[in-house]
Amino acid sequence: MAGSSHGHTPAAWTGVIIAFIGFCVAGAFMVMAQPVGFWIGVVITLLGGVVGGVMRMMGLGQPKDVHPVHQVAGEREPAGAEG
């Protein structure tokens, strides 16, 4: 996937960072046995997915129509061919 720039967009990075922070918050409060803080962390984690999705809809994500994985083999240009 590295060759297709999978996930290298502002939407992906922002969503993952927010989700990671939420995961850390939830984990810390779980160890401290504080259920309210744990659920706040879960909400922050879910918020990361929502923010990433909204940013993608705003055009800050990778469009699916140019992603090589979503192209049919017959539609791809051969390697080295310029047209």
Side-chain angles (χ1 to χ4, degrees):
M1 296 248 179
S4 64
S5 298
H6 178 75
H8 299 292
T9 64
W13 279 101
T14 304
V16 168
I17 289 170
I18 293 171
F20 179 72
I21 291 169
F23 179 77
C24 291
V25 168
F29 280 104
M30 183 174 61
V31 170
M32 293 187 289
Q34 298 292 326
V36 174
F38 167 78
W39 288 110
I40 290 171
V42 170
V43 169
I44 293 170
T45 302
L46 296 174
L47 183 66
V50 171
V51 169
V54 168
M55 288 179 71
R56 188 185 73 201
M57 287 188 281
M58 291 172 52
L60 296 171
Q62 184 170 354
K64 288 187 175 188
D65 58 341
V66 296
H67 197 286
V69 175
H70 297 286
Q71 294 177 352
V72 178
E75 296 175 0
R76 292 186 194 160
E77 291 188 27
E82 295 185 19

